[in-house]
Structure formats: C-alpha cells, structure tokens
Amino acid sequence: EPEVTQTPSHQVTQMGQEVILRCVPISNHLYFYWYRQILGQKVEFLVSFYNNEISEKSEIFDDQFSVERPDGSNFTLKIRSTKLEDSAMYFCASSDPRGINQPQHFGDGTRLSIL
Amino acid sequence: GQQLNQSPQSMFIQEGEDVSMNCTSSSIFNTWLWYKQDPGEGPVLLIALYKAGELTSNGRLTAQFGITRKDSFLNISASIPSDVGIYFCAGPPDTGFQGAQKLVFGQGTRLTINP
C-alpha cells in the first residue's frame, strides 16, 4: 500500500539554526499538509498546500516557517531560525483531491529536537 | 475555533474486553475520522465516516457518526495486545472551505491492555 515517507526520522539542531524536513507524499495525491505534535499533546495543523500555493495556515505557522514543493515528488517544511519550543514531532500528510473530504494519510514523522 | 473532546483520556482494560470511546464537539462536523497512533509512528487511519447516522466497521472496530453531527464513537470488540496505542478522532471544520482542508484532532484516548 502506498505511503507517505518522511526524512530524517530524527533531527537534532542547535537553537537558531535552520532545518528542512522532507516528505514524499503518496504519488497521486495533490493535497499536502504539515502537522506537529508536541510530546504528550494532540496533533496540531500547521499548513496545507495545493497547486504550489499555501491553501491555509494556522497561527503557529509564522514567518519562520515555509513550505515548498521543489520537484514532482518532494514536499518540504523549513524552519528558518529554530526555537526551543519548536521541539516536536512533525508529520506530513497527503490526500487525494478527487471526491469530497478524502482522508489524509500520514507519514511516521520527524522528531525535531532543538538544543 | 472548533475543538474535539475525547473521553475517556485513558483506559486500562483486560485483554478480551470490549472498548468504547467517544468524541464530541460544540459545532458540526461533516466528516469524522478515527486514527490510531503507535509510539514513534504517525497516525494511521482506521475508519472514515461521511454521513450522519452512518455506522461503519473495520474488523473488530466499529464507529458511528452521530445524528446531531456533533459526536462520534469508536468501539473495539474483544481487545488484543496490538490494540494498545492512542486513538484520535479528527475532522475538517465545517467552514465551507473546499480543497486541502485542515484536520482538527481530539486530545486522544490512550488504551492500555493488561494481558
């Protein structure tokens, strides 16, 4: 069964450094998403993306965050200058645009640890 | 914004017991999704519900979309050790937005099974 893949599985970075989290969505999906989950808390929406544009973003997704689809298969989340509170699991998800409310499929996440 | 409240927050049961958990909202959802998350992994879709009153099964799992569209429940029959994990309800807020809709997640129900 096709799946969303994310790399790296764990990223450790010094505060203030830039990080790029990578995702390969399911191949025929065109809606892409990033979520984050702080340890022990619920999953929170960050941003959705379609047709090379941001569709919607949350208040968490401030100017330090950006997303990009650099080629036909990858979808990336960049955090420009990381803060301690950015430490969390970051999940990429994708869904099929055909039909209404097609469910989102999630990757296994990248654990981001900011020191 | 729209929030989902799950109960109970945690459950400790014996193997073989049936499990019931629910999810409520103060506002209407047009789709209800149930995901399971194992440690260190991303949420995995269990059941998707699209119509008020709908009752859907996936093996030993059964979920229902409440008539009021403000609640849903998930039942697991004859629990086994691999059912251990965190169960999340989720859904796209009813904003009229079409396209790459974000998901709102509940805070999860943590299921622990004693063999």
Side-chain angles (χ1 to χ4, degrees):
Chain A
E1 185 175 325
E3 56 183 26
V4 175
T5 57
Q6 291 186 242
T7 56
S9 56
H10 191 188
Q11 174 80 45
V12 182
T13 301
Q14 292 288 333
M15 185 173 60
Q17 296 295 307
E18 173 184 287
V19 293
I20 298 177
L21 310 183
R22 303 181 190 279
C23 169
V24 178
I26 294 173
S27 62
N28 64 338
H29 288 183
L30 296 178
Y31 292 156
F32 311 127
Y33 313 82
W34 284 100
Y35 293 81
R36 80 171 186 191
Q37 185 181 31
I38 294 172
L39 184 64
Q41 298 185 21
K42 65 181 179 182
V43 178
E44 300 175 288
F45 169 77
L46 291 178
V47 66
S48 58
F49 189 89
Y50 170 65
N51 200 26
N52 282 321
E53 290 184 343
I54 290 175
S55 298
E56 191 175 3
K57 60 184 181 180
S58 72
E59 56 199 28
I60 303 169
F61 193 88
D62 62 23
D63 292 344
Q64 294 300 313
F65 291 87
S66 62
V67 289
E68 189 179 26
R69 180 124 162 108
D71 53 44
S73 60
N74 289 283
F75 178 52
T76 62
L77 173 70
K78 181 193 290 186
I79 309 175
R80 260 180 280 281
S81 177
T82 50
K83 304 185 286 285
L84 293 175
E85 53 264 38
D86 293 328
S87 295
M89 285 289 290
Y90 287 81
F91 294 106
C92 174
S94 68
S95 63
D96 189 334
R98 295 169 295 178
I100 298 174
N101 288 335
Q102 290 288 339
Q104 296 174 27
H105 297 267
F106 286 75
D108 280 340
T110 292
R111 179 176 299 282
L112 179 61
S113 300
I114 307 300
L115 304 179
Chain B
Q2 292 179 289
Q3 291 190 345
L4 296 176
N5 297 305
Q6 287 186 246
S7 64
Q9 289 190 329
S10 59
M11 302 182 73
F12 298 85
I13 64 168
Q14 298 293 324
E15 184 178 349
E17 287 184 15
D18 295 344
V19 172
S20 184
M21 61 188 78
N22 74 331
C23 186
T24 60
S25 172
S26 59
S27 51
I28 287 171
F29 279 74
N30 292 314
T31 298
W32 288 88
L33 305 170
W34 284 94
Y35 288 88
K36 178 177 182 245
Q37 186 178 30
D38 290 329
E41 298 183 12
V44 174
L45 182 68
L46 298 174
I47 293 179
L49 302 161
Y50 297 106
K51 191 176 173 184
E54 179 182 354
L55 185 72
T56 297
S57 293
N58 178 7
R60 293 178 296 104
L61 277 61
T62 302
Q64 183 156 31
F65 190 144
I67 293 289
T68 64
R69 294 196 282 157
K70 293 183 178 181
D71 63 344
S72 176
F73 71 74
L74 175 70
N75 288 342
I76 306 172
S77 63
S79 57
I80 60 177
S82 61
D83 292 333
V84 165
I86 303 176
Y87 292 80
F88 291 99
C89 62
D94 183 25
T95 60
F97 174 74
Q98 298 291 326
Q101 290 188 291
K102 69 180 183 185
L103 291 180
V104 173
F105 279 78
Q107 74 272 40
T109 292
R110 181 182 295 273
L111 179 63
T112 303
I113 298 176
N114 299 315

